[in-house]
Short mmCIF file of all heavy atoms in Angstrom, two decimals:
data_model
loop_
_atom_site.label_atom_id
_atom_site.label_comp_id
_atom_site.label_asym_id
_atom_site.label_seq_id
_atom_site.Cartn_x
_atom_site.Cartn_y
_atom_site.Cartn_z
N GLY A 29 -8.75 18.22 -6.93
CA GLY A 29 -7.43 18.73 -7.21
C GLY A 29 -6.51 17.74 -7.55
O GLY A 29 -5.21 17.99 -7.87
N HIS A 30 -6.84 16.36 -7.56
CA HIS A 30 -5.84 15.32 -7.90
C HIS A 30 -5.85 15.08 -9.36
O HIS A 30 -6.88 15.05 -10.04
CB HIS A 30 -6.43 14.09 -7.17
CG HIS A 30 -5.38 13.10 -6.92
ND1 HIS A 30 -4.80 12.35 -8.00
CD2 HIS A 30 -4.77 12.54 -5.79
CE1 HIS A 30 -3.92 11.50 -7.64
NE2 HIS A 30 -3.81 11.55 -6.34
N SER A 31 -4.64 14.91 -9.92
CA SER A 31 -4.55 14.79 -11.27
C SER A 31 -5.25 13.46 -11.89
O SER A 31 -5.41 13.42 -13.13
CB SER A 31 -3.08 14.87 -11.75
OG SER A 31 -2.38 13.64 -11.12
N MET A 32 -5.27 12.51 -11.02
CA MET A 32 -5.84 11.26 -11.66
C MET A 32 -7.28 11.00 -11.43
O MET A 32 -7.95 10.01 -11.69
CB MET A 32 -5.16 9.95 -10.89
CG MET A 32 -3.70 9.91 -11.09
SD MET A 32 -2.77 8.68 -10.04
CE MET A 32 -3.61 7.24 -10.82
N ILE A 33 -7.93 12.10 -10.81
CA ILE A 33 -9.34 11.95 -10.24
C ILE A 33 -10.25 12.93 -10.96
O ILE A 33 -9.98 14.12 -11.10
CB ILE A 33 -9.36 12.07 -8.74
CG1 ILE A 33 -8.58 11.03 -8.07
CG2 ILE A 33 -10.94 11.88 -8.26
CD1 ILE A 33 -8.44 11.22 -6.54
N LYS A 34 -11.54 12.43 -11.32
CA LYS A 34 -12.55 13.41 -11.75
C LYS A 34 -13.75 13.31 -10.63
O LYS A 34 -13.99 12.11 -10.29
CB LYS A 34 -13.14 13.07 -13.06
CG LYS A 34 -12.10 13.32 -14.22
CD LYS A 34 -11.97 14.90 -14.45
CE LYS A 34 -11.13 15.14 -15.60
NZ LYS A 34 -11.65 14.70 -16.96
N ALA A 35 -14.22 14.35 -10.12
CA ALA A 35 -15.13 14.19 -9.04
C ALA A 35 -16.25 15.21 -9.18
O ALA A 35 -16.11 16.39 -9.78
CB ALA A 35 -14.55 14.38 -7.67
N THR A 36 -17.43 14.94 -8.73
CA THR A 36 -18.56 15.88 -8.62
C THR A 36 -19.27 15.83 -7.34
O THR A 36 -19.14 14.82 -6.55
CB THR A 36 -19.62 15.49 -9.66
OG1 THR A 36 -20.31 14.28 -9.41
CG2 THR A 36 -19.07 15.36 -11.09
N ARG A 37 -20.10 16.84 -6.88
CA ARG A 37 -20.76 16.84 -5.73
C ARG A 37 -22.24 16.71 -5.98
O ARG A 37 -22.71 17.04 -7.07
CB ARG A 37 -20.52 18.15 -4.94
CG ARG A 37 -19.19 18.29 -4.25
CD ARG A 37 -19.03 19.59 -3.55
NE ARG A 37 -20.05 19.71 -2.45
CZ ARG A 37 -20.13 20.84 -1.70
NH1 ARG A 37 -19.36 21.90 -1.87
NH2 ARG A 37 -21.00 20.82 -0.62
N GLU A 38 -23.03 16.11 -5.04
CA GLU A 38 -24.47 15.90 -5.25
C GLU A 38 -24.85 15.22 -6.36
O GLU A 38 -25.71 15.76 -7.13
CB GLU A 38 -25.12 17.32 -4.87
CG GLU A 38 -24.86 17.84 -3.46
CD GLU A 38 -25.39 16.92 -2.40
OE1 GLU A 38 -26.52 16.32 -2.50
OE2 GLU A 38 -24.75 16.73 -1.40
N GLU A 39 -24.15 14.07 -6.84
CA GLU A 39 -24.42 13.45 -8.08
C GLU A 39 -25.69 12.63 -7.82
O GLU A 39 -25.80 11.87 -6.98
CB GLU A 39 -23.39 12.52 -8.35
CG GLU A 39 -23.44 11.75 -9.70
CD GLU A 39 -23.15 12.45 -10.87
OE1 GLU A 39 -22.55 13.59 -10.81
OE2 GLU A 39 -23.65 12.13 -11.94
N PRO A 40 -26.67 12.73 -8.88
CA PRO A 40 -28.03 12.00 -8.65
C PRO A 40 -27.72 10.64 -9.07
O PRO A 40 -26.81 10.13 -9.99
CB PRO A 40 -28.76 12.75 -9.70
CG PRO A 40 -28.02 13.39 -10.72
CD PRO A 40 -26.69 13.74 -9.92
N TYR A 41 -28.49 9.71 -8.47
CA TYR A 41 -28.51 8.30 -8.79
C TYR A 41 -29.89 7.77 -8.81
O TYR A 41 -30.84 8.36 -8.10
CB TYR A 41 -27.53 7.33 -7.90
CG TYR A 41 -28.13 7.47 -6.52
CD1 TYR A 41 -29.05 6.59 -6.01
CD2 TYR A 41 -27.39 8.26 -5.49
CE1 TYR A 41 -29.44 6.46 -4.77
CE2 TYR A 41 -27.88 8.22 -4.20
CZ TYR A 41 -28.82 7.32 -3.72
OH TYR A 41 -29.15 7.25 -2.58
N SER A 42 -30.21 6.67 -9.44
CA SER A 42 -31.57 6.08 -9.39
C SER A 42 -31.48 4.77 -9.83
O SER A 42 -30.48 4.27 -10.64
CB SER A 42 -32.64 6.82 -10.25
OG SER A 42 -32.11 6.86 -11.54
N GLY A 43 -32.38 3.76 -9.52
CA GLY A 43 -32.38 2.44 -9.96
C GLY A 43 -33.73 1.87 -9.78
O GLY A 43 -34.55 2.28 -9.10
N PHE A 44 -33.98 0.57 -10.55
CA PHE A 44 -35.22 0.05 -10.27
C PHE A 44 -35.03 -1.51 -10.45
O PHE A 44 -34.58 -1.98 -11.46
CB PHE A 44 -36.38 0.42 -11.30
CG PHE A 44 -37.66 -0.15 -10.91
CD1 PHE A 44 -38.60 0.50 -10.07
CD2 PHE A 44 -38.05 -1.41 -11.43
CE1 PHE A 44 -39.75 -0.12 -9.84
CE2 PHE A 44 -39.23 -1.85 -11.24
CZ PHE A 44 -40.07 -1.35 -10.20
N THR A 45 -35.07 -2.28 -9.28
CA THR A 45 -35.09 -3.71 -9.39
C THR A 45 -36.46 -4.28 -8.84
O THR A 45 -37.32 -4.28 -9.52
CB THR A 45 -33.84 -4.18 -8.57
OG1 THR A 45 -33.88 -3.58 -7.26
CG2 THR A 45 -32.55 -3.77 -9.25
N SER A 46 -36.40 -4.68 -7.65
CA SER A 46 -37.68 -5.11 -6.94
C SER A 46 -38.43 -3.86 -6.57
O SER A 46 -39.80 -4.06 -6.54
CB SER A 46 -37.37 -5.98 -5.66
OG SER A 46 -36.68 -5.30 -4.75
N GLU A 47 -37.91 -2.74 -6.36
CA GLU A 47 -38.45 -1.55 -6.06
C GLU A 47 -37.62 -0.43 -6.51
O GLU A 47 -36.40 -0.55 -6.52
CB GLU A 47 -38.97 -1.39 -4.69
CG GLU A 47 -37.80 -1.52 -3.66
CD GLU A 47 -38.25 -1.46 -2.20
OE1 GLU A 47 -38.65 -0.41 -1.63
OE2 GLU A 47 -38.32 -2.53 -1.56
N GLY A 48 -38.09 0.73 -6.73
CA GLY A 48 -37.30 1.88 -7.16
C GLY A 48 -36.70 2.60 -6.02
O GLY A 48 -36.93 2.46 -4.92
N PHE A 49 -35.47 3.22 -6.38
CA PHE A 49 -34.72 4.01 -5.33
C PHE A 49 -34.04 5.19 -6.13
O PHE A 49 -33.73 5.01 -7.27
CB PHE A 49 -33.82 3.24 -4.50
CG PHE A 49 -32.74 2.43 -5.37
CD1 PHE A 49 -31.52 3.10 -5.61
CD2 PHE A 49 -32.93 1.21 -5.98
CE1 PHE A 49 -30.57 2.47 -6.44
CE2 PHE A 49 -31.93 0.68 -6.70
CZ PHE A 49 -30.74 1.14 -6.96
N GLU A 50 -33.83 6.31 -5.43
CA GLU A 50 -33.12 7.38 -6.07
C GLU A 50 -32.71 8.36 -4.91
O GLU A 50 -33.12 8.29 -3.82
CB GLU A 50 -34.14 8.18 -7.02
CG GLU A 50 -35.40 8.71 -6.24
CD GLU A 50 -36.30 9.43 -7.22
OE1 GLU A 50 -36.10 9.32 -8.48
OE2 GLU A 50 -37.21 10.24 -6.73
N GLY A 51 -31.79 9.16 -5.26
CA GLY A 51 -31.26 10.17 -4.44
C GLY A 51 -30.03 10.83 -4.98
O GLY A 51 -29.80 10.82 -6.20
N THR A 52 -29.21 11.47 -4.11
CA THR A 52 -27.95 11.96 -4.55
C THR A 52 -26.83 11.52 -3.63
O THR A 52 -27.11 11.34 -2.43
CB THR A 52 -27.97 13.50 -4.51
OG1 THR A 52 -28.26 13.99 -3.19
CG2 THR A 52 -29.02 14.14 -5.44
N ILE A 53 -25.67 11.32 -4.15
CA ILE A 53 -24.63 10.98 -3.27
C ILE A 53 -23.69 12.23 -3.05
O ILE A 53 -23.54 12.97 -4.01
CB ILE A 53 -23.78 9.86 -3.96
CG1 ILE A 53 -22.77 9.18 -2.92
CG2 ILE A 53 -23.14 10.22 -5.28
CD1 ILE A 53 -23.32 8.53 -1.75
N ASP A 54 -23.11 12.34 -1.88
CA ASP A 54 -22.38 13.47 -1.55
C ASP A 54 -21.29 13.79 -2.51
O ASP A 54 -21.10 14.92 -3.01
CB ASP A 54 -21.84 13.46 -0.08
CG ASP A 54 -22.98 13.64 0.94
OD1 ASP A 54 -23.95 14.07 0.47
OD2 ASP A 54 -22.67 13.28 2.11
#
Side-chain angles (χ1 to χ4, degrees):
H30 199 294
S31 61
M32 299 172 65
I33 303 174
K34 293 288 183 69
T36 66
R37 287 181 65 182
E38 297 300 318
E39 180 76 20
Y41 64 80
S42 61
F44 187 87
T45 51
S46 59
E47 59 183 283
F49 58 92
E50 61 182 9
T52 59
I53 191 69
D54 288 344

